[in-house]
Amino acid sequence: MPNTPEAPREYWIAPRYLANADADGSEAVQPLLDVGWASSRDTEGNTFVTAPDLSARLAHLPEADGPVLWKISAGPDAFAPPDWLVTFDGRTPPEVVTDFTGALADAWTHGPDGYLGNNQDGGAETVLELLARGWHFDPATPFLSYQSPDRLVQLHIRDKPLRHSAEMAGDTERWLFEVGPARACWYATASSRLPDHLLQQLTTAITHPAPVQRHMRRIDLEHLPATATVTPTAPNSLEAARFQAATARSLSAPRPTPSALGLNTAPAVPVRPAGRTR
């Protein structure tokens, strides 16, 4: 019979940071549109979403050169370099980006103090929270590095002074998240002046263990890390037919008698008629 291509099926992939990026990225833009940001596109198909006061912006760059797909930045002056920059590469699950843009949208509604400044502890609270969740310090890198319990998420921190202009140009970064196995790793970065609460939200978004849905074929599943949990959202037609057949056989099979099961049954005791009284 002809070799027909296998149709993809829908699966739950957990944790979500091990899922591929093959999902609709437009959901990541929606939280910003919901609070009044404006969207535009260039002639190449890249998308730009900007706050009404031009103080914060998002760029979705599927047609740009380089590995970075998402750039999110903010600053007090719309015509000067931004204060902070967050990036995600093209392998990042879009649900991670959506969680961060949702946190940014909420912070933006509280005014400039919600998304600018307020980086007093330099990320110490974020590191302490990770250590409390079972992360451990990794001395095998030239940075301050911390590794998740499953060893599939690493946070690298450059503890040397960095030029702000270099960070805003994307030449270096204060925070680097490296997620997944070596053959299918994705990256997220954050610059030094990212407010502490947004850094915590970014870390939570990246490390969240929730499952996500993906349409995948068996060959796609083979490329997932061995530690990923894969569960079909529903049985396919062949599996459903097998289940129905097994259920029908179970219901139609004769029920075994107690003797067939090897159970001893006591003989019935005859009922003696009551004696006649005088």
Side-chain angles (χ1 to χ4, degrees), residues 21-220:
D22 187 15
D24 187 5
S26 63
E27 293 295 326
V29 175
Q30 195 60 46
L32 302 174
L33 300 179
D34 290 342
V35 295
W37 292 32
S39 177
S40 62
R41 301 187 68 182
D42 62 14
T43 56
E44 296 179 347
N46 300 308
T47 301
F48 303 89
V49 185
T50 310
D53 60 359
L54 306 181
S55 63
R57 60 201 65 85
L58 173 147
H60 181 229
L61 307 169
E63 303 303 324
D65 295 332
V68 174
L69 180 61
W70 302 89
K71 288 185 177 182
I72 306 169
S73 60
D77 188 346
F79 303 100
D83 266 12
W84 57 261
L85 173 68
V86 168
T87 72
F88 301 93
D89 77 357
R91 291 178 177 265
T92 306
E95 293 86 357
V96 173
V97 186
T98 302
D99 276 7
F100 181 73
T101 56
L104 175 59
D106 181 67
W108 183 82
T109 61
H110 292 83
D113 290 342
Y115 61 97
L116 296 175
N118 190 28
N119 54 353
Q120 302 299 321
D121 69 1
E125 189 68 27
T126 298
V127 172
L128 290 175
E129 182 179 343
L130 292 177
L131 293 174
R133 288 163 47 188
W135 287 49
H136 64 274
F137 177 71
D138 183 5
T141 69
F143 316 111
L144 292 175
S145 298
Y146 301 88
Q147 195 172 63
S148 63
D150 64 2
R151 301 181 180 274
L152 290 173
V153 186
Q154 286 189 318
L155 169 58
H156 307 294
I157 308 171
R158 299 183 188 272
D159 58 342
K160 298 183 296 184
L162 301 175
R163 289 188 299 111
H164 181 67
S165 59
E167 288 193 84
M168 295 304 98
D171 297 333
T172 188
E173 68 284 321
R174 178 68 64 190
W175 307 85
L176 170 64
F177 293 89
E178 185 178 357
V179 187
R183 59 182 175 81
C185 194
W186 60 269
Y187 300 90
T189 71
S191 63
S192 301
R193 299 181 188 176
L194 181 68
D196 295 326
H197 71 96
L198 287 180
L199 177 62
Q200 292 176 15
Q201 296 282 358
L202 175 64
T203 305
T204 300
I206 291 172
T207 61
H208 203 296
V212 292
Q213 292 183 352
R214 292 289 187 271
H215 283 87
M216 308 183 75
R217 300 168 300 169
R218 280 180 295 180
I219 191 172
D220 301 323

